[in-house]
Amino acid sequence: MRRWLSLLALVVIACSDDDRPRDPPVDASRDASTDASLDASDASRELDAFVPVDARQADADTDSEADASVDAGSDAAVDAGFDAGFDAGFDAGIPCDASVMPTLPALRLEQVPGATGIVSMVSAAQAPGSSDWYLVQLTGIVRVLRDGALLPDSFVDVSAEVPVIDERGLLGIAFAPDYAQSGKFYIAMTASTGPNANQDSVYEYQRAQDGTTSRVRTIVQLPASAANHNGGTVVFGPDGFLYYGTGDGGGGCNSDKPGAAQDPNQLFGKILRLDPNAAPPFAAAGNPYAAGGGDARVLHLGLRNPYRFAFDRVGGGLFIGDVGQNLYEELDHAEGSARGINFGWPAYEGDHKGTCGTGGIFELAAGAQHERPIVDLPRNAVGPFADYNSVIGAPTYRGAAIPALQGITLFGDYAGARLGALVQCGGQTSPVTVIAKNRDPNQPTQPSFARPTGHPPINQLGAIVEDNEGELYFVVNNNTLYKVVAGP
């Protein structure tokens, strides 16, 4: 049964046909090809109650595994290619304690004036030096919110390229660090019609003096693939380079582009690190395959659908929410200067090997080491995150308005009823503090977010984003932007 356009976004974010949030429950929506690919042993596999992986990462075996995942031969080039700003936070001696779960202050959500009723909103961003919000709609529109009011004209309109929205559409926007001077910005999208249909793409745009915008060139464009697993985050890192997360090609259990996520020569299932100021293909200096052995644009590999990821402004750590298949969601982490990390898909789902099968494409690439997630999230099991189906990662709070939240990383899920909070100190991850999306008056001591009186419950969480001051915001219910503030 077709849904109204304004409700289509409720079922499209970051999931395959087997895992998109919808009614009836997720189990009923799994497709036959996915079920067939699951090993018979899955039925008897015990789904552990939620256990942070950091407790296991602390051992020497894991440390050596992580070390081995970095290509030693590229160390010198990479060290030269990464900006020194990655290490500035640690040099400043900012305290970090991952030995205990973080204690959260009272938090509530405050609606950003004017940022409500935005159809199919999936993300939001600010340009450097500006307090304007650029609201990204899956339908192909970017609207500008200034001083509590939407400007009358669209900032970007690619709606003609996405007449059908599912997981395809306009997914993200990023502004060049020198945007005020250059006017350059970048959008991530997947068209559903025309010559670029089903090709996950990043385009460079430019703002003219009169405020109009136009497409300048294509920065990266993947071959056509299935309609799902399109990634979608595009962001400038602390080193000034452009990062883009790509899905594995779609289908179920990597069926559309078999083995692509493990192949460094293919762009599917990767984090790409790009330099728009370089010559095509815009590979950033210091990437692990710059000298060969893979595509020079690839930074990390082995991902299924890194729909939402974020950097820690202090130290440059990268937190990746990688959407799972049927059994596990995962939150991954890479140090700012790390490169060539293999997060394991499709050989691993979360911290678990063989959930899609064994042999062939369900093995790690020859000589590769699996980087274990920092948080392993069982789905449809016992535990606070059992209702997860599309993990949303994961900015670290670096604002000034809530001192007690400083250094805490938040992650959530598109449909799940709870968020998690953790502290990451180098290779050590704290236990996770569970936070309810909606405050329960029957559990007054439970960490949760109070929402404004009369506002509907927070059901969908499409993104967690930052403003220029490091304050955090939630894109919720596909139509509203809330700011996270202190208070009961």
Side-chain angles (χ1 to χ4, degrees):
M1 181 176 183
R2 295 186 179 275
R3 299 177 184 267
W4 293 97
L5 178 62
S6 63
L7 294 179
L8 275 170
L10 301 183
V11 297
V12 301
I13 304 302
C15 312
S16 70
D17 287 341
D18 53 282
D19 58 12
R20 61 183 53 169
R22 61 171 75 176
D23 294 320
V26 172
D27 284 348
S29 68
R30 292 178 183 161
D31 61 23
S33 63
T34 299
D35 291 340
S37 68
L38 290 173
D39 193 275
S41 64
D42 288 341
S44 61
R45 178 179 286 111
E46 179 180 344
L47 300 182
D48 296 336
F50 167 71
V51 178
V53 176
D54 64 279
R56 297 172 294 213
Q57 277 193 316
D59 61 36
D61 287 344
T62 303
D63 289 340
S64 62
E65 212 172 84
D67 292 340
S69 70
V70 177
D71 179 5
S74 66
D75 283 351
V78 177
D79 289 343
F82 278 83
D83 188 271
F86 273 125
D87 299 320
F90 298 118
D91 293 342
I94 294 176
C96 186
D97 182 7
S99 63
V100 296
M101 69 175 60
T103 300
L104 297 175
L107 297 170
R108 59 186 176 87
L109 299 178
E110 182 179 273
Q111 184 192 304
V112 175
T116 188
I118 313 300
V119 175
S120 299
M121 182 165 59
V122 292
S123 190
Q126 288 188 335
S130 172
S131 61
D132 292 347
W133 278 105
Y134 294 80
L135 309 179
V136 179
Q137 297 174 254
L138 191 65
T139 51
I141 305 293
V142 178
R143 300 290 304 275
V144 180
L145 180 69
R146 178 175 297 164
D147 298 327
L150 290 170
L151 298 189
D153 296 326
S154 299
F155 184 69
V156 171
D157 186 349
V158 294
S159 57
E161 298 176 66
V162 286
V164 177
I165 59 167
D166 34 41
E167 288 188 39
R168 296 168 295 182
L170 180 57
L171 297 167
I173 189 169
F175 294 89
D178 66 347
Y179 172 75
Q181 293 75 40
S182 70
K184 292 180 179 179
F185 65 97
Y186 302 83
I187 67 167
M189 64 170 290
T190 305
S192 55
T193 192
N196 301 320
N198 297 324
Q199 294 183 279
D200 304 333
S201 305
V202 174
Y203 297 112
E204 181 180 270
Y205 276 68
Q206 190 157 29
R207 182 206 69 238
Q209 293 253 344
D210 64 1
T212 60
T213 63
S214 59
R215 185 177 297 180
V216 177
R217 57 183 176 169
T218 301
I219 298 300
V220 63
Q221 190 164 68
L222 278 63
S225 62
N228 56 351
H229 303 186
N230 307 116
T233 293
V234 59
V235 64
F236 278 90
D239 56 357
F241 291 124
L242 184 66
Y243 290 73
Y244 175 49
T246 68
D248 68 352
C253 282
N254 198 202
S255 62
D256 193 76
K257 301 293 181 183
Q262 285 293 310
D263 182 355
N265 290 289
Q266 299 192 52
L267 299 184
F268 293 100
K270 308 296 192 296
I271 299 293
L272 308 182
R273 182 171 173 266
L274 308 165
D275 182 358
N277 295 317
F282 308 110
N287 283 349
Y289 303 106
D295 192 295
R297 293 167 286 184
V298 171
L299 179 64
H300 302 307
L301 69 163
L303 293 159
R304 181 178 180 272
N305 191 17
Y307 175 61
R308 293 298 179 217
F309 63 84
F311 286 97
D312 181 355
R313 297 184 180 197
V314 174
L318 177 61
F319 293 88
I320 306 167
D322 194 19
V323 179
Q325 180 71 37
N326 287 309
L327 299 175
Y328 301 95
E329 302 293 307
E330 67 183 89
L331 184 67
D332 297 312
H333 176 258
E335 293 290 348
S337 57
R339 54 277 183 195
I341 290 179
N342 191 322
F343 294 106
W345 176 258
Y348 288 83
E349 181 185 358
D351 201 32
H352 307 267
K353 183 172 173 56
T355 62
C356 277
T358 57
I361 69 165
F362 303 122
E363 299 296 330
L364 290 176
Q369 297 286 330
H370 172 225
E371 180 78 1
R372 302 169 73 183
I374 59 171
V375 185
D376 186 53
L377 299 158
R379 291 167 47 171
N380 303 311
V382 176
F385 305 113
D387 56 354
Y388 269 34
N389 61 21
S390 297
V391 65
I392 300 294
T396 303
Y397 181 78
R398 295 298 181 187
I402 317 175
L405 200 60
Q406 186 65 221
I408 294 175
T409 300
L410 294 181
F411 67 88
D413 185 81
Y414 179 76
R418 298 167 185 85
L419 287 82
L422 58 84
V423 173
Q424 186 74 25
C425 300
Q428 185 182 12
T429 309
S430 76
V432 172
T433 299
V434 179
I435 318 167
K437 271 183 185 176
N438 297 292
R439 184 158 294 176
D440 183 349
N442 297 316
Q443 300 185 57
T445 63
Q446 179 187 46
S448 60
F449 295 97
R451 63 183 185 275
T453 302
H455 283 226
I458 300 165
N459 294 318
Q460 290 77 33
L461 176 65
I464 307 172
V465 299
E466 300 173 88
D467 67 12
N468 287 326
E469 305 303 319
E471 302 300 326
L472 298 183
Y473 296 74
F474 292 172
V475 176
V476 303
N477 296 345
N478 305 113
N479 59 21
T480 305
L481 184 65
Y482 285 102
K483 183 179 182 179
V484 179
V485 299

